[in-house]
Amino acid sequence: MASSAHLSSGGVDLYLEIIDGALLVQYWGATVAGNISEAIATSEKSIANSAFDLATHPGIMREHSRGFLGHPTISGHRDGSAWSTKFVLSWIDSTSKSVKVILTDDFAELKFSVEMNLDSFGMLKTSYELTNTGNSDYTLDELLYWLPLSDRATQTLDFSGRWSNERNPQRRDIATGTWIRDSREGRSGHNYTITQMALTERSSFGTGEVWAVSLGWSGNSQYLVERTFDGMQAIGAGEVLMPGEIILKTGEKYCAPDFYATYSRNGLDGIAENFHSHIRARPEHPKKPRPLTLNMWEAIYFDHNESKIKSLVDAAAEIGVERMVLDDGWFFERRNDRAGLGDWVVDEKIWPLGLDPIIDYIDKKGMEFGLWFEGEMVNPDSQLFRNHPDWILQEGGRTPPTWRHQLVLDLANPEVYHYLLEKINAILSNRKIKYIKWDHNRVLVDAGNSSRAAIHRQTKAIYRLFAELKSCNPGLEIESCASGGARIDLGVINYIDRFWTSDNNDALERQNNQRWTMQVIPPELLGTHIGPNPSHQTGRTHNLSFRATTALFGHAGIEWDISNLSQEEISTLKSWADFYKKNRKLLHNGKNVRIDYPDDSGFLYGVVSADKSHALFSYVQLRTSIAVHPPVIILRELDPLRQYKVSAVFPAGMPEMMVVTPPPWITAKNPLTISGSALMEIGLPTPILRPENALLIELQ
Ligand code: GLA
């Protein structure tokens, strides 16, 4: 049997060894030239004073039995016994891109299967499975993935958030101890980090080393960075299991959610590129151009008035919108958010002829139709709840506290699952419904099923339901929404086609939110809409140019009552819509570049095509700069030898400026011709924009 495995792909190496039956990840990082096994052999450490007499090699299982004193990989027991494990290798098979391993513990009667695949983008995907091979029940309390972290990583970076303000970066020094980011909402959550990163102190968007991990899971989860007193560092993640949530009977197995890990020496943008490339290469990644979308929520809320909706459709058609989404409020008794959830039949009081007439109206205008659901939820004030009060997730006969006046259905109950499948399929039998927006507007608490915690099952059940809805309705696309961006993760991504990035449509707030959600998710999967003025969330007012430029860098859309706009606003939106359609190939396939702009009053970012022949950048003035002239616009990722035609473009009008005259290149009649090298070394003078304005620059 082999005693080592060496995976190498996409600029990343992973080197594993078997020592004393334990499986060790001896190295994870940049590709290493030469003989890695010899280098590893020389890295054996001292035996310290007051320590184990022989070198310890705890390996990926991080077991007490092998002298490991930090946070273990597995915690569990058989009614108190089998609490300590010592797994030994029983089988290994590897190539230069993958390794499969089986470890067994004959005393604890457990089998542990590992599969690791390293793709050509440097993304390592690991899957763990634990099987109970004994004759009694095995209670699994925790199963985490861990990878060793280089001593050079001295900081962590992850994201925190709340409703309407997701993905705020928090960066801190690594110290002895364990940094844990827990998510216990039963959905990934607004506060969910999407990725846990570790990095060198000076790492930035464009430079420095970054190690990143992400879990393919939408239920409870945990991310960890640990530095033990012996100086070893590791980064990990796993599902958070509630007490007794996983009890394996004889022969049963627990499949941990997939774990993704990647490394880059090209800073945070290098990590984003690895994630984006990996995600884009999946067979299920949406292929057709991302349709310009109008979501009606902030235009009409619960006021479903057919003639009003038709006037929205007319305006949308004039602008060039390609998909109209009817949001919450269409189903039985749903006049506000206090009633109706669960009763998935069209409310004939407001739609006497059903939805077909409006769907046909939209179809005739050449647009797709999309519809909102929130299948996992039920209002106590609904027929469904009155008929089946026992269909909710609950514990101890208690009704969990309501949140937005709703409770959570137990999707792992086959009756509930089939009810939903049948009701939703009945609506989708109108084949013109090509798209559903699927919401999840509350957290799960006290979420039990037959006196057992049920979040794991619930998460699997929603994945199953999404997959089944898609197979019953070929071509159906699903948008994952959870009060905005509370279910954005690498688990649900395999079943959906778009994320609603945030309920906050304020363009200024969106700048931060989109900048960081893109750290993992490519922009073509992130809904970015032009919101109303003033913003319904913050009350801020922004000109259309800023709102439209902000919404361009994603799967663009509108969420605003456009039925009574001026002709000028309609033609501005039309020009922006044309620009989006003309450039979406670039926006949705290119490399995302976030420049380390030297003044924190501005953001500078953009997208460069793979062949570097086309790029769009945006300079955003967040607030006034301290200097009269903000730092120059110096770009990255261009071809230094190529000549670029450079122009400021205004598909949605000019930004407002605080100048007598802007730099001449901004208003030049013809594009300037400048070499990539000059753009990356000398740059362009930045106009003095009013705060909360954005400039768009095109390079060809
Ligand atoms: C959530 C979503 C919104 C909208 C409403 C409808 O808040 O995030 O986009 O769909 O629900 O109730």
Side-chain angles (χ1 to χ4, degrees):
M1 210 161 21
S3 61
S4 67
H6 184 185
L7 280 57
S8 185
S9 188
V12 170
D13 273 19
L14 180 82
Y15 184 69
L16 300 133
E17 270 186 353
I18 320 299
I19 300 182
D20 187 22
L23 178 70
L24 279 69
V25 174
Q26 293 282 38
Y27 177 78
W28 167 52
T31 303
V32 173
N35 188 333
I36 196 165
S37 62
E38 276 174 19
I40 294 296
T42 58
S43 64
E44 191 77 38
K45 292 195 163 63
S46 333
I47 305 283
N49 289 332
S50 185
F52 289 111
D53 298 326
L54 297 175
T56 55
H57 298 287
I60 65 159
M61 304 311 291
R62 297 162 62 97
E63 293 156 311
H64 244 168
S65 58
R66 292 183 184 272
F68 185 71
L69 300 171
H71 202 119
T73 294
I74 288 188
S75 302
H77 61 95
R78 293 179 189 278
D79 203 11
S81 68
W83 59 277
S84 175
T85 59
K86 187 170 183 184
F87 281 92
V88 292
L89 180 96
S90 66
W91 179 82
I92 181 166
D93 185 30
S94 72
T95 68
S96 65
K97 298 225 167 140
S98 72
V99 57
K100 288 184 186 166
V101 181
I102 295 176
L103 302 159
T104 48
D105 180 335
D106 293 340
F107 184 75
E109 299 182 302
L110 294 168
K111 180 171 111 176
F112 192 72
S113 310
V114 178
E115 181 166 350
M116 296 172 134
N117 290 288
L118 182 60
D119 74 12
S120 52
F121 314 109
M123 183 64 61
L124 177 70
K125 177 181 166 192
T126 307
S127 315
Y128 285 170
E129 271 179 25
L130 182 74
T131 309
N132 178 5
T133 53
N135 289 325
S136 57
D137 290 355
Y138 180 80
T139 302
L140 179 66
D141 294 328
E142 190 173 73
L143 172 45
L144 301 173
Y145 293 90
W146 288 96
L147 280 170
L149 195 55
S150 162
D151 292 351
R152 291 194 302 277
T154 55
Q155 296 189 329
T156 58
L157 175 61
D158 44 54
F159 306 107
S160 67
R162 50 169 282 237
W163 173 74
S164 219
N165 186 10
E166 301 90 340
R167 325 285 163 229
N168 296 287
Q170 43 182 16
R171 192 164 175 164
R172 63 201 296 276
D173 288 341
I174 298 177
T176 301
T178 311
W179 170 243
I180 302 184
R181 291 299 316 282
D182 252 355
S183 187
R184 291 170 181 263
E185 295 187 8
R187 59 180 182 182
S188 30
H190 294 103
N191 188 39
Y192 175 69
T193 183
I194 310 189
T195 176
Q196 175 66 59
M197 291 178 281
L199 60 183
T200 50
E201 199 179 330
R202 289 177 192 276
S203 289
S204 63
F205 286 125
T207 59
E209 289 184 284
V210 188
W211 295 257
V213 302
S214 186
L215 197 67
W217 192 238
S218 315
N220 290 338
S221 67
Q222 202 172 59
Y223 286 85
L224 308 94
V225 176
E226 183 170 82
R227 182 175 165 84
T228 39
F229 71 90
D230 59 4
M232 306 299 280
Q233 302 195 137
I235 187 166
E239 182 179 6
V240 167
L241 298 172
M242 294 288 154
E245 186 157 19
I246 299 290
I247 300 176
L248 299 175
K249 299 207 171 301
T250 303
E252 280 184 354
K253 66 181 175 193
Y254 166 74
C255 303
D258 293 335
F259 174 72
Y260 299 88
T262 193
Y263 163 84
S264 177
R265 53 174 36 156
N266 300 319
L268 296 166
D269 279 359
I271 291 291
E273 188 184 8
N274 294 358
F275 275 119
H276 295 183
S277 306
H278 166 81
I279 289 168
R280 286 173 173 167
R282 298 165 314 139
E284 59 272 28
H285 196 67
K287 306 275 177 307
K288 68 173 194 185
R290 310 303 276 147
L292 186 70
T293 298
L294 187 139
N295 181 295
M296 301 187 213
W297 178 238
E298 291 197 18
I300 58 169
Y301 292 106
F302 290 103
D303 185 15
H304 285 207
N305 168 318
E306 192 172 341
S307 69
K308 169 76 179 182
I309 291 176
K310 282 187 172 160
S311 61
L312 273 178
V313 176
D314 296 344
E318 201 180 336
I319 289 163
V321 167
E322 297 163 302
R323 173 183 283 160
M324 300 285 298
V325 181
L326 184 63
D327 211 282
D328 195 355
W330 56 269
F331 47 95
F332 191 61
E333 299 290 349
R334 184 70 167 173
R335 298 288 59 77
N336 53 49
D337 64 7
R338 290 173 176 264
L341 279 179
D343 296 338
W344 301 109
V345 286
V346 179
D347 194 337
E348 290 181 357
K349 281 197 222 90
I350 35 170
W351 296 102
L353 302 173
L355 293 175
D356 288 1
I358 193 67
I359 297 176
D360 288 339
Y361 190 78
I362 289 169
D363 183 59
K364 286 209 180 80
K365 300 253 173 188
M367 292 183 272
E368 282 182 16
F369 177 78
L371 192 61
W372 184 92
F373 287 92
E374 193 180 3
E376 288 136 300
M377 302 296 162
V378 63
N379 285 122
D381 185 0
S382 64
Q383 298 291 9
L384 183 72
F385 188 76
R386 281 186 282 274
N387 293 339
H388 302 283
D390 55 327
W391 276 11
I392 57 163
L393 286 170
Q394 56 84 27
E395 170 62 10
R398 303 182 288 263
T399 302
T402 53
W403 171 307
R404 212 190 184 213
H405 320 291
Q406 61 200 55
L407 296 165
V408 187
L409 290 170
D410 176 5
L411 245 61
N413 171 343
E415 282 184 284
V416 177
Y417 182 93
H418 287 113
Y419 166 83
L420 284 174
L421 188 64
E422 189 214 318
K423 288 286 174 204
I424 297 167
N425 269 340
I427 302 278
L428 299 186
S429 64
N430 182 331
R431 294 287 165 199
K432 288 180 190 147
I433 306 181
K434 296 273 176 22
Y435 187 78
I436 60 177
K437 174 179 172 186
W438 189 282
D439 224 322
H440 186 290
N441 278 318
R442 65 155 295 165
V443 303
L444 273 58
V445 290
D446 232 3
N449 159 321
S450 314
S451 296
R452 293 271 295 275
I455 293 168
H456 178 83
R457 291 181 242 188
Q458 181 83 352
T459 311
K460 293 252 178 190
I462 188 63
Y463 291 165
R464 216 168 52 239
L465 186 64
F466 283 158
E468 200 159 351
L469 283 171
K470 281 194 163 186
S471 81
C472 298
N473 301 281
L476 180 74
E477 288 191 26
I478 302 179
E479 173 174 12
S480 169
C481 173
S483 296
R487 187 149 65 185
I488 302 183
D489 57 71
L490 291 190
V492 76
I493 200 171
N494 296 318
Y495 306 90
I496 60 94
D497 307 274
R498 188 193 211 231
F499 292 107
W500 182 224
T501 315
S502 176
D503 269 356
N504 196 335
N505 285 316
D506 173 322
L508 181 65
E509 309 258 330
R510 273 300 185 118
Q511 286 291 338
N512 185 65
N513 175 267
Q514 292 167 201
R515 181 181 191 76
W516 290 110
T517 309
M518 257 183 40
Q519 183 59 48
V520 173
I521 310 293
E524 63 271 25
L525 296 183
L526 296 175
T528 53
H529 295 176
I530 300 179
N533 224 5
S535 156
H536 289 189
Q537 290 73 35
T538 63
R540 273 197 201 101
T541 298
H542 290 125
N543 61 40
L544 184 50
S545 155
F546 182 50
R547 283 144 65 214
T549 306
T550 303
L552 199 62
F553 288 87
H555 179 181
I558 301 171
E559 187 154 344
W560 173 24
D561 182 358
I562 54 166
S563 64
N564 44 28
L565 298 187
S566 67
Q567 202 45 51
E568 192 191 336
E569 284 172 306
I570 292 280
S571 45
T572 304
L573 284 174
K574 185 169 174 7
S575 131
W576 168 81
D578 291 346
F579 188 84
Y580 166 72
K581 290 177 199 169
K582 200 166 138 228
N583 289 288
R584 63 185 151 193
K585 197 164 166 218
L586 164 67
L587 289 163
H588 298 163
N589 294 280
K591 175 172 177 171
N592 288 86
V593 181
R594 292 164 293 181
I595 306 283
D596 293 297
Y597 192 65
D599 182 335
D600 67 6
S601 69
F603 279 176
L604 178 59
Y605 60 87
V607 187
V608 181
S609 65
D611 66 0
K612 297 185 191 269
S613 68
H614 190 194
L616 265 180
F617 277 88
S618 179
Y619 172 76
V620 181
Q621 196 70 58
L622 304 165
R623 53 187 173 276
T624 49
S625 167
I626 258 183
V628 175
H629 300 286
V632 287
I633 292 172
I634 292 189
L635 303 176
R636 242 190 329 106
E637 301 298 331
L638 304 175
D639 179 349
L641 301 178
R642 204 187 286 246
Q643 295 293 319
Y644 287 92
K645 284 188 182 155
V646 181
S647 48
V649 286
F650 311 107
M654 295 264 289
E656 294 166 29
M657 303 192 204
M658 299 163 67
V659 292
V660 178
T661 51
W665 72 272
I666 298 277
T667 47
K669 282 231 163 52
N670 298 312
L672 316 179
T673 302
I674 312 180
S675 73
S677 154
L679 286 163
M680 295 192 287
E681 302 300 336
I682 301 169
L684 297 160
T686 308
I688 307 167
L689 300 187
R690 280 193 167 158
E692 302 172 22
N693 273 270
L695 173 76
L696 209 51
I697 308 160
E698 184 164 16
L699 296 97
Q700 268 175 318

